[in-house]
Structure formats: structure tokens, C-alpha cells
Amino acid sequence: MKEQLLSETLRAYSMRNYPFHMPGHKFGRHLKLNDIHQIDVTEVKGTDNLHHPKTIIKEAQEKAADLFGADKTYFLVNGSTGGILSTISAVCHPGDSILIARNCHRAVYNAIIIHQLKPIYCYPEINPNTGIAGGISSNQIETILKDNDSIKMMVITSPTYEGIVSDIEQIAKIVHHNNVILFVDEAHGSHFKFHPRFPKTALEMGADIVIQSTHKTLPAYTQSAMLHIKSSKINWYEISQQLSIYQSSSPSYILLSGLDHCCHLLKQHGRELFHSYFNLLMKYRQVLAENLSCLKLLNDDCIGRMAVYDIDISKIVLICTNANMNGIVLDNKLREMYQIQVELSSLNHMIALTSVSDTSLGIEKLTKALLHIDDELHLKHNTKPFFMVPLESKYLPSEALQKDKKLVHLKDSIGQAVGEFVIPFPPGIPLIVPGEIVTKEMTRIIRKSIKQGISILGMKDTSGEMIQIIEG
């Protein structure tokens, strides 16, 4: 039997399927770096150095800062993860308190563990009918900051994976009034800047530091991202030092060139590209909103409720809680019957990620497929969605990971402090953080997730039947 190369498998996948998932270049549209082998170089005379840029990389980052409205922009070749770790490491020191939205990405928790920080959580409001997290209430933040004057930084995810945007402007005012730095994980919002009908960017709304996964929603290569700073309170030198720790000492010039090429494309042609893209989105979102009967399109009717300030319409989010088909089955059906692969699926919903690089034929194909599937469904009322459940913490995450642990059956973990992460992926938001107390409801959620085929990261026992709890 002929040995199958990874590249051959990937090419076969791209020939067979239409991608409603990241990266945003959608198999290379608008990102025509055909001479990749000629630009895959290293730090020699004339190519500059990402960790001490003086010429072409420095100029590229300065152009990016001007384009996105930042005082300072850093190119990232280790995704938003490297930028999140670097930023928190630069601002916070061991023992500091940090306020984070509980639906932050795993990278935020990793930074907390590395630096032995004390996390204080604020929780998004949850829609009880869909299980989808809303925004973070500015009133909740104000109350927490009044009760905790030692908090140094706040980290919030906006937009969320589902495209939910919080009121960053009001949050920024409250956070800054309490002399706290606001760091927004805007990984899924790098495209906001390029059409007035998308939400305003976190930089425009007053955030001090913003991370963007350029590769997620713009034409850029996977693992390429940007870190933007717009604040006199941030030590740029310290950020640079930490980036040199959390990024490779041999950064990919392919990724760097892709970021620069993306910025050039947006500066030269962004207006017309996004005008056409926006009109295409609105056309097919309207078709879905008016014609779906069992599945439901997440639309702007949620704005103003559950702390939702705005939504990102580039994400086609289908709510499945009232249909006799969950998001995972819908995902499989789209791929098997229509050769469409979406970004994320769960029991509650499914996300198809669009970008400026999508074709009209591609979005039309998705729309027709969803309408055809919906025609064959029937309503199923009183479905109870599951969602993030606030848990009591017994130990700090960093403390929990250092303690002795033992594996027990999931049913025997109720009331015990867990010694590992439990993370559905995607999106990479922990259901349980080390040190939190397991509840009966949480064991139900874990079992149901695994039964439905959702990947769970962090657990030593990959079957999900056993979980590590802290001894003693």
C-alpha cells in the first residue's frame, strides 16, 4: 500500500469540501504568495529580525498599526496564544489578582497558572433557551472592582466564538476609573475595522491591549496574528521581552509575509472587497432568517438582552435547541451530503465561519443545504440546552496542578476539587478549571458531550469516564 503523505490528505480534503471554517483565506483566495519556497528564509542581512526589528519587519508592523488604529502593533507567529501569554506575563506578576471573563480561552488560564495569579471571574449572561453565552455586564464588572481593589488587569473575550460583542466602551470606562488595564481577546474580530456595519473594534472602544487572530477571519495563514496596543500605560519593551520568550526564535517569514500581504490587500482593496462581502452576507442571512422553521439563525434580535451589545453577522450561527437534530448531527450531514465543513458544532448550535474570501457560490451552497435540511426537520420543544455552570473554587489553578491527584470515576468526583482541565474543543473554553469543585450537573454535561462526539482536552483519561481529583 502506498504511504499517504499529510500534504496529500490535506489537498484531497480541500478539493472535496467547501470550508466554512478558519483560516479566512479559504484555500488561498486573496492570498497569492505562490513563491513560498523563495520567501522561507531566516534572519540574515537584509531580512530583518522579528525580535529586534529595524527595517522591513519594523515598517510592516508600523503600517499594520496605522491600518488597525493602534499605537503599536506586533506580528505574532504563534497565534493569539503567544500574544495572550506574553501580554499577561508583561503586566502581571506572581500573586497579582486578575479579573477574567470565565469564557476566556485556555491560553488565559495557562498564563494564570504560569505566573501563579489569583483569578477573579465574571460570568457572561446565558440565554436559557439556546445555551449561548451573552455578553459581560458592565454592572457586574463595576461591582467586582469595587470589592477587589487589588486587581491589576481585566481580560475579556469580545466577540465570542458565536460573535457576541460586549459593551467594551462602557467596560473600558469602568476599568480605567479603577486604574485597571483592559485587555480584549478580539481573536475573532480582526475584520471589524473594514466595514461600518460590523461592530466597532475594541481599540476604537477604549481597550488598552487587543489581540487579533488575523488568520481566523482575514486572508492570512494559520498561526498568524497581531497584538495591538493603544495606551500610555503599557510598557512596550516588556511586551517585546515576553514575546521573545513565547514565540519561536526562528519565526516563519512565510507567516510574517502573509500578515504584511493581508494588510496591503486591505489597504488597497479593502473597501470594495468588504462592500461586496457585506452585501452577500446580508442577502443570504435574510433568506435564512425568513425561511428556516426549525433551525434558527442567531440574529440581531438578541441585542440589548443578556448584556449583548452587538453581534458579528459574519458568523452563520444556527440554533438547534428547538429542532429534532443537534448541531453535531447537522455538522456531519453538511459534510457527508453537501461537502461543506463548518467551524464548530455542539449540542446547542453550529457555527459556519465566513470571511471576505468566501465566494457567492459557496455561501449560496450553504444556504440551500441548510434550507433543504430544515425542510426535513420538525420542532422539538422543551429541549434543555447545557451551558457553562459557575463552580466553586477550592484552590487556585496553579495550586491545584501542584497537588497530588488520583483518578476516580466521574460519578465519584462530585463534591471533589478537580486536578485537571476539562475543555471542549473547539472553542477551547474550560468547563472545569483545576481547583474547582465538581457538581452533579457538570458530570452530566461531560458525559453528554463525550457521548455526542465532542472532543474534550485536558483529561488524562481520554474516554471521559475517569477524572483526576485532588487527594486529601
Side-chain angles (χ1 to χ4, degrees):
M1 180 180 291
K2 181 183 176 183
E3 187 176 278
Q4 184 80 12
L5 296 176
L6 174 60
S7 58
E8 292 173 337
T9 302
L10 296 175
R11 287 192 185 97
Y13 166 79
S14 66
M15 294 294 291
R16 190 169 56 246
N17 299 286
Y18 190 95
F20 281 101
H21 56 76
M22 62 184 76
H25 62 73
K26 302 299 180 86
F27 297 152
R29 294 191 76 233
H30 298 137
L31 190 55
K32 305 298 185 182
L33 292 179
N34 298 322
D35 56 345
I36 282 180
H37 60 286
Q38 293 178 340
I39 62 174
D40 188 16
V41 297
T42 189
E43 295 89 344
V44 294
K45 187 175 182 180
T47 64
D48 209 0
N49 188 317
L50 178 64
H51 295 298
H52 190 58
K54 293 182 178 180
T55 55
I56 55 171
I57 295 177
K58 179 176 182 289
E59 292 166 8
Q61 292 184 148
E62 288 172 349
K63 288 185 291 184
D66 181 64
L67 180 67
F68 285 91
D71 296 336
K72 181 81 169 177
T73 291
Y74 295 92
F75 283 179
L76 306 176
V77 295
N78 190 30
S80 286
T81 295
I84 289 170
L85 291 169
S86 300
T87 296
I88 295 176
S89 300
V91 175
C92 299
H93 301 102
D96 282 347
S97 295
I98 182 170
L99 173 59
I100 74 167
R102 183 58 179 76
N103 60 335
C104 278
H105 190 268
R106 180 181 184 176
V108 175
Y109 294 91
N110 287 340
I112 287 170
I113 289 166
I114 290 169
H115 295 285
Q116 300 177 323
L117 304 179
K118 299 174 182 177
I120 298 170
Y121 299 128
C122 54
Y123 284 82
E125 298 188 33
I126 303 293
N127 186 323
N129 298 317
T130 66
I132 290 179
I136 299 293
S137 163
S138 57
N139 291 334
Q140 180 187 179
I141 293 170
E142 188 168 29
T143 299
I144 292 172
L145 290 175
K146 282 181 179 178
D147 295 337
N148 299 273
D149 58 8
S150 62
I151 292 172
K152 201 164 189 179
M153 169 185 267
M154 179 183 179
V155 186
I156 183 174
T157 301
S158 179
T160 64
Y161 218 125
E162 290 77 21
I164 301 298
V165 177
S166 295
D167 188 351
I168 299 299
E169 185 171 23
Q170 185 61 26
I171 290 170
K173 289 177 182 177
I174 293 168
V175 167
H176 292 154
H177 178 73
N178 288 272
N179 200 31
V180 172
I181 290 170
L182 178 59
F183 177 22
V184 177
D185 178 353
E186 199 175 47
H188 280 268
S190 59
H191 59 294
F192 284 1
K193 182 75 174 176
F194 303 102
H195 195 282
R197 293 286 298 278
F198 283 125
K200 287 186 177 181
T201 70
L203 284 177
E204 293 173 306
M205 302 287 267
D208 299 297
I209 308 172
V210 174
I211 201 89
Q212 292 178 342
S213 288
T214 318
H215 73 95
K216 283 182 167 65
T217 61
L218 287 175
Y221 291 117
T222 296
Q223 208 169 305
S224 54
M226 295 188 200
L227 171 58
H228 304 295
I229 299 174
K230 194 171 184 180
S231 173
S232 60
K233 296 179 289 186
I234 308 301
N235 186 327
W236 294 357
Y237 175 76
E238 188 59 35
I239 294 279
S240 299
Q241 291 296 101
Q242 294 298 328
L243 284 170
S244 70
I245 294 172
Y246 290 105
Q247 296 206 101
S248 171
S249 59
S250 300
S252 168
Y253 278 81
I254 295 173
L255 299 186
L256 296 174
S257 298
L259 284 169
D260 188 38
H261 188 280
C262 178
C263 290
H264 180 75
L265 173 74
L266 294 170
K267 184 175 181 179
Q268 297 296 320
H269 305 290
R271 184 184 296 271
E272 57 263 38
L273 288 174
F274 269 84
H275 177 75
S276 298
Y277 169 48
F278 179 81
N279 289 339
L280 186 67
L281 271 176
M282 293 302 293
K283 174 184 175 181
Y284 286 105
R285 285 184 66 90
Q286 184 174 355
V287 171
L288 290 171
E290 292 177 353
N291 293 281
L292 290 173
S293 57
C294 297
L295 301 171
K296 184 181 186 302
L297 178 70
L298 181 67
N299 224 327
D300 58 10
D301 57 3
C302 67
I303 295 174
R305 297 183 292 119
M306 293 162 291
V308 177
Y309 181 75
D310 207 343
I311 68 164
D312 174 16
I313 63 165
S314 76
K315 288 182 168 60
I316 308 297
V317 181
L318 276 301
I319 311 301
C320 306
T321 49
N322 286 330
N324 63 318
M325 177 184 289
N326 65 43
I328 297 167
V329 177
L330 177 59
D331 178 341
N332 292 334
K333 188 174 285 287
L334 284 169
R335 180 161 178 168
E336 293 169 6
M337 295 183 61
Y338 301 94
Q339 291 74 55
I340 292 171
Q341 179 59 57
V342 298
E343 170 69 22
L344 175 146
S345 58
S346 75
L347 299 178
N348 301 337
H349 66 293
M350 184 209 77
I351 302 174
L353 190 154
T354 74
S355 84
V356 71
S357 295
D358 274 301
T359 66
S360 58
L361 288 176
I363 296 181
E364 181 182 19
K365 180 179 181 179
L366 173 67
T367 303
K368 288 182 176 179
L370 290 171
L371 291 176
H372 186 266
I373 293 170
D374 186 73
D375 282 342
E376 298 177 343
L377 301 179
H378 61 260
L379 290 172
K380 181 181 179 182
H381 295 291
N382 300 319
T383 299
K384 181 183 179 182
F386 78 81
F387 42 80
M388 182 183 301
V389 179
L391 300 175
E392 180 185 349
S393 293
K394 184 174 182 179
Y395 303 103
L396 295 177
S398 56
E399 294 173 339
L401 290 180
Q402 297 300 317
K403 292 186 176 294
D404 293 333
K405 295 174 277 290
K406 63 180 179 181
L407 275 172
V408 301
H409 285 284
L410 204 55
K411 62 180 175 60
D412 296 324
S413 69
I414 298 170
Q416 302 295 319
V418 75
E420 61 187 359
F421 280 102
V422 179
I423 308 173
F425 188 85
I429 298 167
L431 277 176
I432 305 180
V433 174
E436 291 183 330
I437 307 296
V438 182
T439 63
K440 184 177 181 179
E441 173 68 4
M442 188 55 69
T443 62
R444 182 187 74 85
I445 291 172
I446 294 171
R447 285 199 184 95
K448 192 171 183 180
S449 298
I450 292 172
K451 183 179 179 180
Q452 294 294 329
I454 296 174
S455 296
I456 304 290
L457 304 182
M459 298 180 74
K460 184 176 182 179
D461 174 32
T462 55
S463 73
E465 291 297 319
M466 311 278 285
I467 190 169
Q468 288 197 104
I469 63 167
I470 295 169
E471 291 189 292

